[in-house]
Amino acid sequence: MNRFSRYLFREILPLYAAGLAVLLVLLLTNFLLGVLADALARGVPAALVARYLLFKLPAAAGPGLTLALLFASLLGLTRLSQDGEIKAALLLGLSPRRFLMPMLGLGLMVSLLALANDELVVPWSEQRALEVQKDILLRSPETVLKAGSFFTDALGRSIYIGALSPGGHLSDVTVISPGGSQGPRDVIQAGSGDLDQAAGVWRLHDLHFRVFHDSRLALDFRATDGTLPIRGLSAGVTGTPDLVYLPLTELLHRLRSDPGQRKPAEWTALNRKLAEPLAATAFALFALAVALFTFRRGMPLGFVSVLLLTFVYYATGSVSNLLGAQGTIPAFVAGWTPVALYVVAGGLLLTLSWRR
């Protein structure tokens, strides 16, 4: 590594550390908000919540590692441009290639780190975080029931109560057991029911029970009465876990099972597993291209512009991932579009600035 490469690293790495710390705080805050209502309602100890956030840290580091590089590279190279250091380097005979190689090297190192984190650490930590979250949900007191609202229990089932009369009489009850990306595993509908708080069960009447397999109805029957155990009730609806957190072997096993079934969510997650770590390399290329292009044009970026360019990746990634998981767009397009936008834009700007 030559002296100029070390100088670039000394300029960018402190900004990278600061940006990563800020992003981790923001992403962990988002995870905290997901369990905060249950934690406050049940008087959960702060140590248990802190343990949950600790296990969610690798999942937050997944996007944080790559996005922080985009932020730090744009900010650091813009500072070099504004202070005339890029101009001085070019006047001394350094070609843009002397900027390009260390930036690509830094991007590849971050990509490898993100890939190792996503595949080796995140699946294990997500499983531990789920166990802690269940501990939080199993704490008492129970959430107060409200008619016309959705609830979840400790088993992850989504429960809807249409009406609640004095004395614990229920009407229009629906219980949905999630089955991942393939839809619900089973659905129970009851015309009425009664709470039995002493036994911890709901005694339901006029039941309609349906079981699904691979999004197809496998069993459909009715019953006059039934007993439903309920424990750890909490307000809200449990979302489908992100399939990108699964180990690669498990994700491939899901794709190989039942080959005739369309699996857009799994295919999108597989493409994301490969694309999202490589985004760091694309960001390094894009940041250098933007810095050289704006230097040539004499219009350096401001701090707000840096934040905007960082946010664009998050926004396009969220939209394309949602459309890909739903099967609206091909999984390959959904997984690679956010990264491809920065590669194409960076390559175009770098070509234009190189020619000048």
Side-chain angles (χ1 to χ4, degrees):
M1 183 184 297
N2 56 45
R3 181 178 299 177
F4 185 72
S5 298
R6 291 196 297 270
Y7 180 73
L8 283 178
F9 287 175
R10 285 198 300 268
E11 182 69 29
I12 292 173
L13 289 180
L15 294 172
Y16 179 73
L20 179 59
V22 172
L23 285 170
L24 289 178
V25 170
L26 292 176
L27 292 168
L28 287 176
T29 300
N30 181 55
F31 291 139
L32 174 62
L33 293 177
V35 299
L36 186 59
D38 287 315
L40 293 176
R42 302 169 192 284
V44 174
L48 189 60
V49 177
R51 186 182 175 198
Y52 171 77
L53 293 178
L54 179 63
F55 285 130
K56 294 296 289 187
L57 183 60
L65 286 169
T66 54
L67 279 172
L69 183 62
L70 175 60
F71 171 79
S73 299
L74 284 171
L75 206 59
L77 292 173
T78 297
R79 206 280 302 169
L80 294 179
S81 176
Q82 289 175 336
D83 291 353
E85 296 185 39
I86 291 180
K87 181 178 180 179
L90 295 176
L91 289 175
L92 289 173
L94 295 181
S95 70
R97 185 177 289 105
R98 296 293 294 273
F99 291 85
L100 179 61
M101 299 312 295
M103 291 303 300
L104 287 180
L106 180 59
L108 285 172
M109 285 190 292
V110 175
S111 292
L112 291 174
L113 180 61
L115 183 62
N117 174 71
D118 291 347
E119 184 59 25
L120 301 178
V121 184
V122 170
W124 175 85
S125 67
E126 281 296 294
Q127 186 62 36
R128 304 288 86 74
L130 181 60
E131 293 173 0
V132 176
Q133 188 174 10
K134 288 181 179 179
D135 290 340
I136 293 174
L137 291 176
L138 290 173
R139 298 269 174 165
S140 57
E142 301 290 352
T143 303
V144 178
L145 295 175
K146 294 181 182 178
S149 301
F150 275 95
F151 302 87
T152 61
D153 67 357
L155 299 178
R157 297 177 297 188
S158 299
I159 302 171
Y160 174 80
I161 301 173
L164 178 62
S165 304
H169 183 70
L170 310 171
S171 300
D172 188 20
V173 179
T174 302
V175 181
I176 303 173
S177 298
S181 61
Q182 301 300 320
R185 186 171 66 250
D186 56 67
V187 178
I188 303 173
Q189 292 178 297
S192 61
D194 297 286
L195 300 178
D196 189 343
Q197 295 183 351
V201 298
W202 292 4
R203 306 193 186 280
L204 304 178
H205 315 292
D206 189 17
L207 292 166
H208 184 193
F209 188 77
R210 285 171 289 177
V211 178
F212 297 88
H213 179 69
D214 291 334
S215 302
R216 297 172 182 153
L217 184 62
L219 183 63
D220 188 346
F221 68 93
R222 295 180 180 272
T224 305
D225 301 291
T227 301
L228 182 70
I230 296 291
R231 187 181 180 190
L233 201 63
S234 61
V237 179
T238 301
T240 303
D242 197 339
L243 295 176
V244 79
Y245 293 152
L246 294 177
L248 182 60
T249 53
E250 184 175 343
L251 190 55
L252 291 175
H253 176 72
R254 288 194 177 200
L255 290 169
R256 293 192 187 103
S257 63
D258 195 5
Q261 182 72 25
R262 289 185 69 249
K263 299 176 181 179
E266 284 81 355
W267 281 112
T268 300
L270 178 62
N271 281 278
R272 287 177 58 196
K273 261 190 174 294
L274 301 175
E276 290 180 358
L278 289 176
T281 306
F283 291 160
L285 172 67
F286 176 77
L288 176 61
V290 169
L292 291 176
F293 183 79
T294 54
F295 163 72
R296 300 287 194 186
R297 297 284 181 173
M299 48 179 188
L301 292 177
F303 184 74
V304 175
S305 299
V306 171
L307 291 179
L308 179 61
L309 289 173
T310 305
F311 175 76
V312 166
Y313 173 79
Y314 180 81
T316 55
S318 299
V319 174
S320 62
N321 292 338
L322 177 61
L323 295 177
Q326 294 174 345
T328 307
I329 60 177
F332 180 83
V333 175
W336 289 93
T337 292
V339 179
L341 288 175
Y342 283 83
V343 172
V344 172
L348 179 61
L349 293 177
L350 194 59
T351 301
L352 293 174
S353 61
W354 206 300
R355 287 179 178 178
R356 290 175 63 90

